[in-house]
Amino acid sequence: MATPGEGEAAPGTFRDRLRRCFSHALCGLADDGVVAIPREDLSTLIDQVRETADAKFGDYSGTMAMGLAKKAGRKPRELAVEIITRLARSPEFAAIFEPPGDPVGPGFINVTVRADALSAAVLAACRDARFGVPIVADPETVVIDFSSPNVAKPMHVGHIRSTVIGDALARILAFRGHRTITDNHLGDWGTQFGMILWGWKRFGDEAAFATDPTAELGRIYRTVRKLTDGKPDELSADLGLADLAAKYPDAGREVLLETARLHEGDAENKALWERFMPACLADIEKIYRRLDVTFDHRLGESFFHPFLAFVVEDLQQKGLARESRGAIGVFLDGDDKPPFLVRKADGAFLYATTDLATIQWRLAHWKPDRILYVVDHRQGQHFDQLFQTARRWGLGDVDLVHVAFGTVLGDDGRPFKTRAGDTVGLESLLDEGVERALAVVATDDAMATDERQRVATTVGIGAIKYADLSQNRTTDYVFSFDKMLQLTGNTAAYMQYAVARVEGVLEKGGIDRETLRRSATEILLADPKERALALEIMRFGEVLEDVEADYRPNLLTAWLFDLAACYSSFYDALPILKASEPERASRLALCDLTGRVLRQGLELLGIGTVRKM
Ligand code: ARG
């Protein structure tokens, strides 16, 4: 379970403080009768205070005057002036922001942070373990259900998104001060286990299992999979398979029977399940270790099996579920629309039943305010129906969110597959990432072999994660090793390189960072490049807030990229080690802070850094 980091209560980001000032000013409009709109409605408009895209419009801009004018039947510029007048009267505003000028264009209210306030904030950030990033005012308990692969088959490229996005969100929410509970809702009880049970009983190889259990289970899984849903020509092309297919024409149905037997508590199947599970878990654990992903809990579907009969009974008793052609379901959209099935006609429970039991269990044991499901967008309808059913069932006192994501595509724009048309195994994908990263970092002969391997691991794995996280999560994206390992552009390698470069300056100067932080007494921001860098650093907390608001890690990668660009302009334009005091100490402090913030940002994405690459 993650707990928030240390750090005194920060006064909030610049944007928080500005929004507070705007909120007062807007309420003032209502109180003074300038507009006939209730205070509560006005206070929601502070979302329209945002950072500007271009420094020539100031640092932040309030754009609400336009919409408000329409509602109030006034001229936007006049209303903007009314807001500006009230902002200018506020002592909190005057302490942090320059006196606001006239509205710009149709009624934009542009605001600039005062140089002394910015300088003081950066100095405080230099000495703060959280770089001035505030802790959320109302910390929540948030369950994050992510990764959740179906075990008993090897993890493939499709699992990367949930694992990487879920892990990043967990890290970011914890850093913001929420109590996070991560849970890997393993598919450890479904048909894929029935496949293994069925296959093992017919052509399992004890000796092979003893030497390499995962390889043997993988072989069985692939074989049964081909037998049950392989194309006929594929089957006939492979002599061994053709034999098996002829021998077991009814494999598909028999697999379901094995699954049902497991669920009914059949001793033999249960014993085999218990024997196979450790191997399956060891296999996926290996991947999580490589990805540096951990979970607080690993309560798979099997854990909830004992509760499923009760779920169905209770839903029926409460009149929410009823029978339809032997099956039992919740009719969410009227009698003529397909129901949300919780029990099949043959008595088997479904994915939906387990998910309902899981919500109930999580509420009882963890009392979360929110549950995030980081799952493929193709399960959108399932979660839609699940959340509706949970509400009706009386589990409404929690925010249920499907954090959906798109598909990983190959160069051809189709779901990413190997040349032979199989899904790409995650293990080999990671191997290839590290292998290719070696080529990027291996040019330095001075680096020892094991050091080089370590750097390549951090760069290769980081590249794969970053490529995923930097995408808008709801769209599909094309997986390309060439692109993700480029040293320029918005890539992990570029960001890792930026950290190494920033810290290289300090190393070259023989600067002790602790001493630097203690002795820095003033941050000088006379040059626009210094100022731009300082302001960008101070936006960290705002960006993390935006990431949480929409569960979009790509906002963090985009900001890191901007920050690295600000640093580059600063570094290219201004002397640092060769500057004279007091600029030298101030610029070194900015370097130190930039390095730490970049490193922290990458860490929140689950991406490591290296000293040299
Ligand atoms: N095991 C499922 C799959 O591979 C994902 C589970 C997501 N979590 C959940 N609570 N349904 O599709």
Side-chain angles (χ1 to χ4, degrees):
M1 198 160 303
T3 47
E6 51 182 309
E8 320 91 72
T13 61
F14 284 129
R15 193 177 69 186
D16 287 338
R17 295 200 266 178
L18 182 59
R19 284 181 173 173
R20 225 153 38 223
C21 295
F22 263 94
S23 169
H24 291 149
L26 289 164
C27 289
L29 292 184
D31 297 347
D32 301 344
V34 177
V35 293
I37 292 173
R39 275 173 141 250
E40 308 78 71
D41 292 357
L42 290 170
S43 60
T44 62
L45 298 175
I46 57 168
D47 281 356
Q48 295 174 34
V49 175
R50 299 207 62 93
E51 61 286 355
T52 54
D54 187 328
K56 70 172 183 268
F57 300 123
D59 301 327
Y60 297 91
S61 186
T63 57
M64 67 287 284
M66 282 72 84
L68 194 55
K70 206 178 252 169
K71 251 194 182 162
R74 298 272 313 253
K75 292 210 176 85
R77 280 185 67 96
E78 271 175 35
L79 264 191
V81 169
E82 294 278 3
I83 297 170
I84 288 171
T85 311
R86 284 166 180 78
L87 285 175
R89 256 189 253 145
S90 143
E92 180 176 13
F93 184 89
I96 312 167
F97 304 101
E98 299 283 1
D102 291 332
V104 174
F108 293 107
I109 303 168
N110 295 347
V111 175
T112 302
V113 179
R114 279 171 56 152
D116 56 349
L118 181 55
S119 161
V122 173
L123 187 64
C126 286
R127 294 172 177 169
D128 180 12
R130 296 178 55 86
F131 331 99
V133 174
I135 287 185
V136 285
D138 306 300
E140 292 188 3
T141 298
V142 187
V143 172
I144 303 151
D145 175 325
F146 72 102
S147 196
S148 310
N150 294 333
V151 302
K153 57 180 183 191
M155 278 173 91
H156 57 81
V157 65
H159 293 114
I160 188 111
R161 299 210 79 179
S162 174
T163 308
V164 166
I165 297 172
D167 180 55
L169 290 176
R171 289 167 186 257
I172 290 167
L173 266 60
F175 186 72
R176 280 179 43 77
H178 294 296
R179 177 170 167 263
T180 57
I181 300 174
T182 51
D183 187 13
N184 192 355
H185 188 76
L186 297 171
D188 59 359
W189 199 242
T191 316
Q192 78 283 7
F193 250 106
M195 290 161 91
I196 292 207
L197 291 170
W198 181 86
W200 174 261
K201 290 180 184 176
R202 283 154 190 87
F203 41 81
D205 181 338
E206 278 289 356
F209 185 80
T211 0
D212 187 346
T214 357
E216 172 59 4
L217 294 181
R219 177 188 74 88
I220 294 175
Y221 174 77
R222 280 189 302 273
T223 312
V224 179
R225 171 120 202 202
K226 284 194 184 134
L227 286 179
T228 50
D229 64 23
K231 296 161 206 83
D233 49 331
E234 223 175 81
L235 289 176
S236 52
D238 183 324
L239 272 182
L241 274 180
D243 265 8
L244 286 174
K247 198 159 157 203
Y248 306 113
D250 222 6
R253 203 183 49 84
E254 287 168 18
V255 161
L256 291 182
L257 281 178
E258 291 294 356
T259 317
R261 252 180 236 140
L262 173 69
H263 291 178
E264 282 152 17
D266 173 82
E268 186 190 4
N269 280 8
K270 192 75 206 288
L272 284 174
W273 183 84
E274 268 158 17
R275 198 169 154 213
F276 294 154
M277 268 307 278
C280 297
L281 292 179
D283 203 34
I284 62 171
E285 267 316 314
K286 207 161 76 195
I287 301 247
Y288 293 136
R289 253 199 314 279
R290 291 185 73 179
L291 287 173
D292 187 23
V293 169
T294 57
F295 299 90
D296 298 315
H297 300 276
R298 204 170 55 187
L299 299 177
E301 293 179 2
S302 62
F303 177 83
F304 297 98
H305 186 71
F307 309 108
L308 302 186
F310 169 80
V311 169
V312 176
E313 238 168 68
D314 200 54
L315 285 171
Q316 280 182 293
Q317 224 158 57
K318 297 204 163 103
L320 294 167
R322 59 179 175 73
E323 222 185 282
S324 154
R325 277 186 260 134
I328 296 172
V330 182
F331 287 79
L332 292 162
D333 305 305
D335 289 350
D336 49 338
K337 296 272 160 46
F340 190 45
L341 280 190
V342 290
R343 217 183 76 187
K344 290 202 272 192
D346 66 6
F349 300 114
L350 293 102
Y351 186 48
T353 330
T354 310
D355 257 334
L356 284 167
T358 308
I359 298 181
Q360 196 180 42
W361 194 94
R362 286 172 178 165
L363 289 187
H365 290 81
W366 296 333
K367 305 194 169 42
D369 301 290
R370 243 190 284 176
I371 305 178
L372 309 183
Y373 296 84
V374 187
V375 186
D376 194 312
H377 72 108
R378 281 170 290 193
Q379 293 193 26
Q381 195 194 0
H382 166 74
F383 286 108
D384 193 38
Q385 296 185 317
L386 174 67
F387 298 167
Q388 281 189 58
T389 304
R391 272 297 100 78
R392 293 192 192 185
W393 200 22
L395 305 178
D397 201 18
V398 60
D399 259 336
L400 301 170
V401 188
H402 178 199
V403 179
F405 52 79
T407 311
V408 183
L409 305 175
D411 295 334
D412 55 358
R414 318 263 307 263
F416 192 38
K417 294 267 163 70
T418 61
R419 244 166 246 263
D422 297 321
T423 49
V424 178
L426 203 42
E427 183 92 66
S428 60
L429 192 81
L430 299 183
D431 288 344
E432 184 170 350
V434 174
E435 193 60 37
R436 287 178 180 243
L438 262 177
V440 176
V441 297
T443 41
D444 187 355
D445 280 338
M447 215 186 273
T449 317
D450 56 338
E451 163 86 350
R452 193 181 291 173
Q453 189 63 41
R454 213 176 41 76
V455 171
T457 302
T458 308
V459 172
I461 304 278
I464 295 174
K465 287 186 169 190
Y466 195 97
D468 199 311
L469 293 165
S470 59
Q471 303 297 320
N472 182 341
R473 70 171 158 78
T474 52
T475 52
D476 300 343
Y477 81 94
V478 175
F479 190 93
S480 158
F481 273 123
D482 290 332
K483 276 212 191 103
M484 70 177 67
L485 280 161
Q486 270 162 19
L487 286 171
T488 54
N490 191 13
T491 62
Y494 174 71
M495 296 308 311
Q496 288 164 326
Y497 183 62
V499 176
R501 218 164 48 130
V502 176
E503 314 217 317
V505 173
L506 300 163
E507 215 167 284
K508 189 167 157 215
I511 311 291
D512 177 60
R513 302 178 77 164
E514 284 299 323
T515 320
L516 175 70
R517 267 167 238 160
R518 256 179 292 130
S519 56
T521 49
E522 201 184 358
I523 303 296
L524 303 167
L525 304 174
D527 190 285
K529 303 230 149 77
E530 288 172 312
R531 187 185 188 283
L533 176 60
L535 188 74
E536 203 61 48
I537 294 173
M538 295 316 298
R539 287 201 48 231
F540 193 13
E542 298 167 9
V543 170
L544 295 181
E545 182 184 348
D546 292 346
V547 171
E548 178 176 341
D550 220 5
Y551 305 112
R552 288 190 191 282
N554 66 312
L555 299 178
L556 178 54
T557 58
W559 172 78
L560 286 169
F561 188 53
D562 288 346
L563 178 58
C566 283
Y567 179 80
S568 280
S569 326
F570 158 87
Y571 176 86
D572 292 342
L574 302 171
I576 300 173
L577 287 168
K578 292 205 176 104
S580 47
E581 296 297 357
E583 281 80 9
R584 185 174 185 271
S586 166
R587 286 178 193 160
L588 283 170
L590 273 178
C591 283
D592 169 56
L593 183 58
T594 306
R596 286 163 63 213
V597 167
L598 286 174
R599 193 192 288 281
Q600 177 73 64
L602 288 174
E603 193 183 308
L604 291 179
L605 298 169
I607 294 173
T609 45
V610 292
R611 281 186 46 227
K612 239 167 76 184
M613 59 185 277

